[in-house]
Amino acid sequence: MREFIELAILLPFIIMLFQFYRFSIKRTGVEKQKACQVLGIVYSTFGITALSIHSPLFVIAGLLLIMFGLRLIAHGLDRIDKNIFIDRYDKDQ
């Protein structure tokens, strides 16, 4: 019965956090960087906190949140101005 209650708490929470994840990924420019970095830190913190509960469902949810958080932080580090490509050779003038 306890696992059912944990699942009833975790499932809507994970779905809501996934919606925030998708919303912040769809933004552009500086808004995307700021939202992704802040949300990534929050998700990672929630994930680490969920790991401390030692329940199998919370551990799985914690690992999932840590992965979402690290991915959001990586999206937040993306360049805004993508006009310069380092893999292309331009002759010196």
Side-chain angles (χ1 to χ4, degrees):
M1 183 69 181
R2 180 182 170 146
E3 290 85 15
F4 179 72
I5 294 171
E6 288 177 357
L7 189 63
I9 292 170
L10 279 177
L11 198 58
F13 186 68
I14 295 293
I15 291 171
M16 181 185 67
L17 291 178
F18 184 71
Q19 293 294 326
F20 287 141
Y21 169 81
R22 296 292 294 174
F23 178 71
S24 63
I25 294 293
K26 299 283 183 188
R27 290 182 171 190
T28 57
V30 177
E31 293 175 354
K32 179 179 179 179
Q33 280 187 339
K34 195 148 193 100
C36 286
Q37 287 176 356
V38 170
L39 207 57
I41 292 170
V42 169
Y43 279 19
S44 297
T45 305
F46 282 166
I48 293 168
T49 306
L51 287 177
S52 67
I53 295 177
H54 299 290
S55 172
L57 289 174
F58 276 100
V59 168
I60 292 170
L63 291 174
L64 185 70
L65 286 174
I66 289 172
M67 288 190 287
F68 276 154
L70 292 176
R71 188 167 170 98
L72 278 169
I73 291 171
H75 276 289
L77 294 175
D78 196 19
R79 293 184 299 141
I80 295 172
D81 185 24
K82 294 185 179 179
N83 293 332
I84 301 172
F85 299 100
I86 60 171
D87 59 342
R88 294 185 185 162
Y89 175 72
D90 291 332
K91 290 184 180 179
D92 294 331
Q93 286 141 334

